[in-house]
Amino acid sequence: MTTVTIDALRPELDGDLLLPDDDGWEEASRPWNASVQQRPVAVVRARTVADVVATVRFAARAGVPVTVQPRGHGATKAIDGCILVRTGELDELSVDVEARTARIGAGVPWGRVLAALDGTGLVAPSGSNPSVTAVPYLLGGGLSWLSRAFGTGASVLRAADVVDATGEVRRVDAGTDPDLLWALRGGGGDFAVVTAVEIDLPEAPELYGGRLVLPGELTAAAFRTFVEVTRTAPEAFTTWVTAMTFPPAPQLPEEIRGRSFVFVDAVHLGSPEEAEALLAPFRALGPVLRETVRPLQPSDLGTISEEPEEPPVGITSVNTASSLTHVDEAFVDTVLARVGAGAPLGYAQIRHLGGALRRGRVEDGAGLRVEPEYSFWAMGMAPSPAHVQAAEDAAAELRDAVAPWSTTGSTLTFHREGAPLTDVFPAEAVRRLQEVKRRVDPDGVLRSNHPVLGG
C-alpha cells in the first residue's frame, strides 16, 4: 500500500494520522521497549472509539493489517507492515466499590487504577510497573504481586468492549460470545481491538511489603534463602529476588553506576507480623542498605520494584525469560556464574509463582492456568551495538544452561518472540485460540504482538 493511499484515512479521523515522512514519526512509532525496531506503515493516535472503527474499516478495505499499542511495553517485530493504532487517549476509568468492579479504558495505566482503589479495601492484579497499561496486560494473562492468592490478571476479566475485524462495536461477555471472551482472557490481542474492559476487584483489607536492598556480596546467600523460604511460603506471601549489577554508564546516577546489589521484594496479604516472620531469614543475612517495607495501599504496589516509568535513554535492554519446575542451589550457582559484574548480563530475577496460578481453569480462559512454580528473567543493559550482540549471545547461552530446570507454561506477557505458543499454552488451548481467530477475523485484519496463527 502506498503512502498516498493510506493518507486517504486522514479525513475519517478525529485523531492524528502520521506517516513515515511526517514530523514526529520516530516518536509516534517507537515502542516503550526501544530495543524492538518495529516498522509500521502508519500510526493513528485514536481520540475516540470512532477513530478505531474508521481505521479498522479502512484497513479491511485496503488489505493492510491493524495492530494496537497504548505504549508498547510488549512490542515485537510481528507488527511490521501494520497500521499502528495508539489507544492512549481512551482513558475512561470508573470504580464501583459496592459491586467490586472497575471499568478501564484501553489507555489507562495501572498506576491510575491502583490509586483509585486506595482506601477501598479492594485491589487489582496489576503488574509491577505502574506505567504499564491495564488492558493489554490483562489480555496477555498478567502475573502480579497477588497472583499466588488470586490467579493471573486475566482471571478478573468479566467483559470487554471491542471493535471487531469488520469494524463493528460489540460488548463481549459470557452471554454474548463466550468463546471470544475465553480467548481474550489471556490469549492476547489478536481477536479484536479492545477499547475498554470490566474487571472484578478482589478484596485485600490488609497489605504489607516492600523492598530490602542488600549489598552485592550477599547475592548468593539471598538467592539460597529465597529457595528455602519459598518452599513453605503461604499463598498470601509473594516474593521475588533480584541480582543487579548496574553498567558503568554515564547516564546512570553515580551512587549506583557500576555497583552490585541484591533486592528482595515481597507483598503479603495479611498482617505485618506474619510478613515480618517470612522476611526474617533475609534480614538475618547481613546489613540492609535500604528498605521500603511497610503497610501498603494499592497504589504502592507499583512502586515496590522501583522500575523506570520511562525507557532509559541510550541503553538497549536484552532479555531472556524461562518458566521453572523448581529452584535449588545448583540453579542458583548456574545463574550467578553467568550474571553479574563483568558479564554482559547484569540482572537476574526469580519470581515465586504457584498457589492459585496452578488452580486456574483453562476452560474458563486461555491464560488462567500457570503450572510452573517459578519464573526466571535475566537482562543485559547495553549502551552500544557491540554490547547488544554480547548480551544476546550471553542470553542464549544462559537459556541453554538453565534448560534442566525449565518447562513450558507461562503468560503471553512473558513470552519470548519467535518461540512457539505451546511454550505458553497447552496444545489444545492453542488450537482453540486459532479456531477463534479464524472465526472472528478470517481475513487477518488484526495482528497482535504474538499472532496465534504465526504472523
Side-chain angles (χ1 to χ4, degrees):
M1 170 174 284
T2 67
T3 296
V4 174
T5 304
I6 296 178
D7 197 59
L9 173 59
R10 199 181 302 272
E12 301 183 40
L13 301 173
D14 292 324
D16 301 319
L17 173 69
L18 288 95
L19 301 173
D21 293 333
D22 290 340
D23 291 340
W25 169 258
E26 290 299 324
E27 180 181 357
S29 61
R30 185 189 307 122
W32 194 95
N33 181 3
S35 64
V36 177
Q37 302 298 311
Q38 62 186 21
R39 295 178 177 83
V41 296
V43 175
V44 172
R45 291 182 179 139
R47 290 201 178 100
T48 64
V49 173
D51 284 343
V52 178
V53 170
T55 303
V56 171
R57 290 179 177 176
F58 176 89
R61 295 193 303 269
V64 59
V66 170
T67 194
V68 179
Q69 285 178 1
R71 299 197 70 190
H73 281 80
T76 73
K77 295 179 181 179
I79 74 153
D80 288 359
C82 294
I83 298 174
L84 170 58
V85 179
R86 296 289 194 188
T87 54
E89 294 188 49
L90 303 183
D91 59 357
E92 171 190 5
L93 174 63
S94 61
V95 175
D96 187 330
V97 175
E98 184 175 347
R100 300 203 300 270
T101 61
R103 182 174 168 81
I104 308 171
V108 178
W110 274 122
R112 273 189 63 202
V113 179
L114 294 174
L117 299 178
D118 283 355
T120 65
L122 304 174
V123 75
S126 65
S128 56
N129 190 316
S131 72
V132 171
T133 38
V135 166
Y137 169 94
L138 294 167
L139 299 180
L143 296 176
S144 79
W145 288 115
L146 310 171
S147 288
R148 282 176 44 76
F150 300 128
T152 66
S155 66
V156 302
L157 180 62
R158 56 188 293 148
D161 289 353
V162 309
V163 177
D164 68 17
T166 69
E168 293 298 314
V169 177
R170 300 172 53 195
R171 176 178 170 85
V172 177
D173 58 29
T176 61
D177 195 333
D179 280 344
L180 181 51
L181 180 65
W182 175 88
L184 295 177
R185 299 183 87 194
D190 216 25
F191 310 95
V193 179
V194 177
T195 58
V197 296
E198 183 179 323
I199 67 169
D200 293 311
L201 299 171
E203 292 184 276
E206 197 167 18
L207 291 167
Y208 186 86
R211 163 167 282 188
L212 301 176
V213 181
L214 307 176
E217 56 266 27
L218 294 177
T219 296
F223 272 56
R224 289 186 172 90
T225 300
F226 171 88
V227 170
E228 292 302 317
V229 169
T230 57
R231 282 176 178 159
T232 58
E235 294 180 6
F237 183 77
T238 295
T239 187
W240 306 346
V241 64
T242 307
M244 188 162 190
T245 298
F246 291 90
Q251 302 97 317
L252 297 176
E254 184 177 354
E255 61 268 22
I256 63 173
R257 189 184 310 148
R259 296 187 62 190
S260 298
F261 304 90
V262 58
F263 306 129
V264 178
D265 298 336
V267 171
H268 183 61
L269 287 157
S271 72
E273 294 77 17
E274 294 167 345
E276 285 295 344
L278 291 159
L279 288 171
F282 295 104
R283 292 188 182 278
L285 294 176
V288 176
L289 303 178
R290 184 172 63 84
E291 71 170 280
T292 62
V293 176
R294 66 203 188 279
L296 303 173
Q297 287 289 328
S299 60
D300 296 320
L301 293 174
T303 69
I304 291 172
S305 294
E306 301 176 323
E307 297 174 2
E309 296 187 38
E310 296 297 333
V313 177
I315 297 178
T316 298
S317 63
V318 175
N319 306 290
T320 183
S322 301
S323 298
L324 308 174
T325 57
H326 67 290
V327 292
D328 53 23
E329 289 199 4
F331 177 82
V332 171
D333 292 342
T334 298
V335 170
L336 296 185
R338 293 166 172 80
V339 177
L345 302 177
Y347 180 105
Q349 181 183 85
I350 314 175
R351 299 186 179 191
H352 191 199
L353 305 180
L357 289 166
R358 301 194 72 184
R359 296 192 299 273
R361 288 162 44 91
V362 176
E363 54 265 42
D364 294 334
L368 269 55
R369 185 176 180 89
V370 178
E371 290 279 1
E373 283 292 317
Y374 298 88
S375 68
F376 171 66
W377 181 34
M379 178 179 67
M381 293 187 289
S384 72
H387 289 89
V388 170
Q389 186 59 57
E392 289 177 346
D393 292 344
E397 196 276 331
L398 177 59
R399 195 160 50 245
D400 290 341
V402 301
W405 296 269
S406 299
T407 187
T408 57
S410 184
T411 63
L412 276 182
T413 48
F414 273 82
H415 185 47
R416 180 167 57 91
E417 182 177 3
L421 281 179
T422 48
D423 279 3
V424 178
F425 307 109
E428 181 55 39
V430 172
R431 287 191 289 270
R432 186 174 174 186
L433 286 168
Q434 292 171 341
E435 290 170 0
V436 174
K437 174 67 173 178
R438 293 186 182 101
R439 175 175 69 84
V440 300
D441 185 18
D443 298 323
V445 175
L446 308 174
R447 187 187 302 168
S448 70
N449 292 335
H450 300 286
V452 300
L453 295 177

